[in-house]
Amino acid sequence: MRPLTMLQRALESPEHAARYLNRLYHSFAHGDDHYRNGVAVLGEDWDNLILLDGCRYDTFARHVDWDGSLDSRYSRGSSTVEFLRANVSNETLDDTVYVTANPQFHQHRDELEAEFHARIDVWKDDGWDDEYKTVLPETVAEYALSAAEEYPQKRLLVHFIQPHYPFIGSKTSFDKRQLHSDDERPAFWNEVFTGQLDLSAEEIRPLYDENLRLTLPSVEELLAELRGKTVVTADHGNAIGERSFPIPIREWGHPQGVYMEETVKVPWFVWENGDRKEYCADSTPDSRDRGDSEVVEQRLQELGYRT
């Protein structure tokens, strides 16, 4: 999000004004373009990196009892775009295939100027679920296993959209399909933040947890099938009503530039399965970069982004 846009939103409501001031503090304290204490994921040792979008460390630790090693790390961003800018901008990643359910890379590809050997956009065409308005975890796992078979000598970066909104489990009285007409564009966390949607953390947290629980079987499938060293982590966390600082407003979602424990502390689960991969970092990209800009905008809006 650009500074001018942030300033414009600060004028919309007292909540946005307080968030804007908190962003200024965090920018001064931690870095003006990303969270400087975060891990540079591309420089870490892995054959397969699984990103759970918006997954908090504490939530992951409560629900996962797998064999392997669980630790925590801090992300370089509190949003997907910030994470991508801080980790892949201007990189030539010809040893890596990116399988993603999140359209944000495509939306910002000209700015990021990162080149993967191949990028597989699961959110396009058959990968998108029209009922839930998202990409379901089992679909991501299917695409990831196909990519692993097609590119056995490449590192695999797999980006699930859950536990990020929308909630794919229990139906709720505030489901966006009931709350909004077809031509209105919801931004779930923003509506909770500004009080347009009157929900408590106690109402939302079980749904967020359920989104993660519904995703874990697909992650386990990848851990069992992918060879080499696999790391499960997140691009950022997610606030659910915790207070930010220095102005102690309640935060919701994962606003860019707000570096709370809940928005940047992420899991770092390590699992090893068989022999490590032998990489072939060739310079001939497998380009599949296609996508109508209107489709991208629609997908992002249905995922709850305020575009």
Side-chain angles (χ1 to χ4, degrees), residues 230-250:
T230 299
V231 172
V232 182
T233 185
D235 53 350
H236 54 79
N238 199 101
I240 308 177
E242 294 85 5
R243 292 197 181 275
S244 185
F245 57 89
I247 301 175
I249 59 170
R250 292 196 182 276

Side-chain angles (χ1 to χ4, degrees), residues 46-49 154-156 227-229 276-277 279:
W46 50 267
D47 298 306
N48 313 290
L49 186 72
K154 300 295 182 184
R155 298 209 301 177
L156 203 60
R227 67 182 179 90
K229 183 177 183 178
R276 300 294 301 271
K277 293 182 181 179
Y279 302 122

Side-chain angles (χ1 to χ4, degrees), residues 79-227:
S79 71
T80 300
V81 174
E82 199 173 11
F83 169 88
L84 290 170
R85 286 175 182 149
N87 285 286
V88 308
S89 286
N90 303 305
E91 294 285 347
T92 299
L93 304 165
D94 49 14
D95 65 347
T96 305
V97 172
Y98 183 27
V99 180
T100 179
N102 193 317
Q104 289 286 16
F105 183 96
H106 184 94
Q107 177 81 338
H108 297 273
R109 64 195 185 283
D110 293 337
E111 171 198 344
L112 293 170
E113 293 187 345
E115 185 174 300
F116 293 95
H117 175 75
R119 192 179 85 242
I120 300 170
D121 291 325
V122 186
W123 50 269
K124 296 178 183 176
D125 305 327
D126 293 340
W128 186 257
D129 188 282
D130 286 324
E131 177 183 359
Y132 288 96
K133 306 300 183 185
T134 188
V135 179
L136 297 179
E138 53 266 32
T139 306
V140 177
E142 178 185 347
Y143 275 70
L145 291 174
S146 177
E149 183 176 353
E150 185 174 357
Y151 304 102
Q153 292 183 300
K154 300 295 182 184
R155 298 209 301 177
L156 203 60
L157 176 57
V158 182
H159 193 157
F160 286 85
I161 198 66
Q162 289 79 27
H164 192 287
Y165 182 85
F167 304 123
I168 60 175
S170 304
K171 300 297 183 184
T172 64
S173 61
F174 57 86
D175 185 278
K176 65 185 177 186
R177 285 166 292 173
Q178 302 172 29
L179 183 67
H180 297 272
S181 64
D182 291 340
D183 52 350
E184 288 180 312
R185 298 303 185 190
F188 173 77
W189 292 113
N190 183 68
E191 292 183 337
V192 177
F193 178 63
T194 58
Q196 295 172 268
L197 202 49
D198 185 16
L199 295 169
S200 68
E202 288 71 26
E203 291 173 284
I204 295 175
R205 190 172 290 111
L207 303 173
Y208 172 84
D209 285 19
E210 186 177 25
N211 253 21
L212 177 61
R213 289 197 305 270
L214 291 171
T215 306
L216 293 178
S218 295
V219 177
E220 286 187 278
E221 181 182 6
L222 294 186
L223 294 176
E225 295 293 333
L226 297 177
R227 67 182 179 90

